Amino acid sequence: MQVPDKHSSHIVVLDADRAILAYIRDVLADRFSVSLFTDAAELCRSLSESPAPDLLLMDWQIGEDEGEKNALSLLAKVRASKPSLPIIMLACSAELKEVVAATRMGAADIILKPFRKSDLDLAVQQCLEALGKRPAADEATEIPLDGNTSFVRSCERMREIESQCKLVAGTDIPVLVLGESGTGKEVAARLIHKMSSRSQRAFLKVNCVAMPADLLESELFGYEQGAFTGAVKPKPGKFEVCNNGTIFLDEIGEMPPALQAKLLQVLQDGSFSRLGSRSSVRVDVRVIAATNIDIKEAIANKTFREDLYYRLNGFTVKMPPLRERPEEIPVLAQHFMRKAAARYDCDPLPISPALTHALTGHAWPGNLRELENTIKRYLVLANEQAIVDELSALRSATLPAPNVEAAGGNANLKHFVRTVTGNVESAAIAQSLEGRGWNRKATASDLQISYKSLLYKIKRYNLSPPEKQHSFDQA
Ligand SMILES: Nc1ncnc2c1ncn2[C@@H]1O[C@H](COP(=O)(O)OP(=O)(O)OP(=O)(O)O)[C@@H](O)[C@H]1O
Ligand SMILES: [Mg+2]
């Protein structure tokens, strides 16, 4: 089944169901050249004999008897003959193992059947834009999210994170976003929501550490009249309010154990009961959770339920710290400058090569949040030199001479870099703590990281206040 080649982008579609092929052709043929195949062998022959198309849409269930195995071996064949061909999978349901397998084989997206014209249009458009066929105005580095927030990415690693978010957005699998403080975990959660079919519904964030257990329970699950003193009328919780939307459970590692059990039940069958009620409520809510604590350690310490971890960990997105993607610093600095200028209603200041150099030389223990605050400070002070001096003072005060011995005498570069970076960070933190007489709140504020993150780092680097001096020392 061939449609004459009359447009610039060529899309090939493989599906055993002719009705689906006809539908896809009706949606796409007025803007693209479309070739349709019902048979995998015929598709492979055509791919090996002709130049690569721009995009392949392929049914996951092709050759139903063998199911996934068949789709995977076909994907491998296609990859062998056309290594960089973007592929979108069409699937009836996307189980985690399918998403993982498809990602491994480099699928760019999954569209769930039955799909609407708009789902197909969006996936095709995003895929072709990524190819550089039709870049939208800001597409090169920035995806606008809600309000003033955007997802900026300009390096390969962050584009991979974007692809993972896009893939998992097409499913309802719970997602666990991990990463140090300020690396963009919330931004990633908003991106997943925005790219999902729930994007027109609510995205609600609940901070699990900001309130006591009782309050958190009523916040999440609601209560009936008389459930406790002061419950004068019934109130639905966030899970009910957020029905058909996405709930973002921030700092999940700090959730009290009693609530972890209740959350586990919601993840298992979407049901729970309000406080003071015996009947259960059923909801359809997509859960995204985030934490910056070492969750495996929390499981070992029995502060986090292992079964809940496995439920939440349907798909993990790991946000890299800024020091591992320094090439993004100039683009992010420009973005934060535009964002701050819009917020304070003033003109953005230029970011000179000298400032860029100072910014890229800093280790950013507070990650993107710290960079954003530095840019805000620059805009307010309007004194570039002050910022450059501040950053270079921090650098010279904290940068130890690289020493392979100190890094364990290990020639493995990754290990060496990790050790040296850790040394720099721990030296910077120790110095700030000492400068502040071990006042942790003040130090966290100086370093522009959260209090909790500072406590975590103190523990991680095994830092402790100097022993109190004995009286005879003072003589
Ligand atoms: N990729 C990104 N593009 C643009 N801005 C970003 C990006 N990632 C993070 N930011 C900005 O950096 C700041 C910190 O991001 P975010 O709140 O998502 O981090 P976090 O990992 O949730 O931090 P914490 O662990 O402290 O809660 C926010 O102002 C956010 O808008
Ligand atoms: Mg956060």
Side-chain angles (χ1 to χ4, degrees), residues 370-423:
E370 185 189 355
L371 174 62
E372 181 167 13
N373 287 338
T374 300
I375 297 293
K376 268 192 216 158
R377 214 166 47 250
Y378 167 41
L379 182 66
V380 172
L381 296 174
N383 182 347
E384 178 188 297
Q385 197 52 46
I387 304 291
V388 172
D389 290 347
E390 195 180 290
L391 291 170
S392 62
L394 255 177
R395 197 166 176 221
S396 51
T398 58
L399 195 67
N403 177 346
V404 181
E405 289 302 313
N410 194 326
N412 176 324
L413 182 63
K414 247 192 192 161
H415 173 79
F416 175 66
V417 169
R418 210 180 305 131
T419 311
V420 171
T421 321
N423 287 347

Side-chain angles (χ1 to χ4, degrees), residues 218 222-237 274-276:
S218 63
Y223 52 83
E224 293 297 345
Q225 184 175 354
F228 49 85
T229 327
V232 284
K233 53 180 184 176
K235 186 175 174 243
R274 289 181 178 184
L275 260 90

Side-chain angles (χ1 to χ4, degrees), residues 439-453:
N439 179 331
R440 293 168 177 85
K441 276 226 164 90
T443 307
S445 146
D446 286 352
L447 294 173
Q448 296 175 13
I449 58 177
S450 70
Y451 179 64
K452 211 158 51 61
S453 165

Side-chain angles (χ1 to χ4, degrees), residues 167-186:
L167 259 178
V168 86
T171 75
D172 277 336
I173 300 167
V175 180
L176 185 60
V177 189
L178 301 176
E180 289 177 17
S181 181
T183 45
K185 296 185 293 296
E186 182 172 338

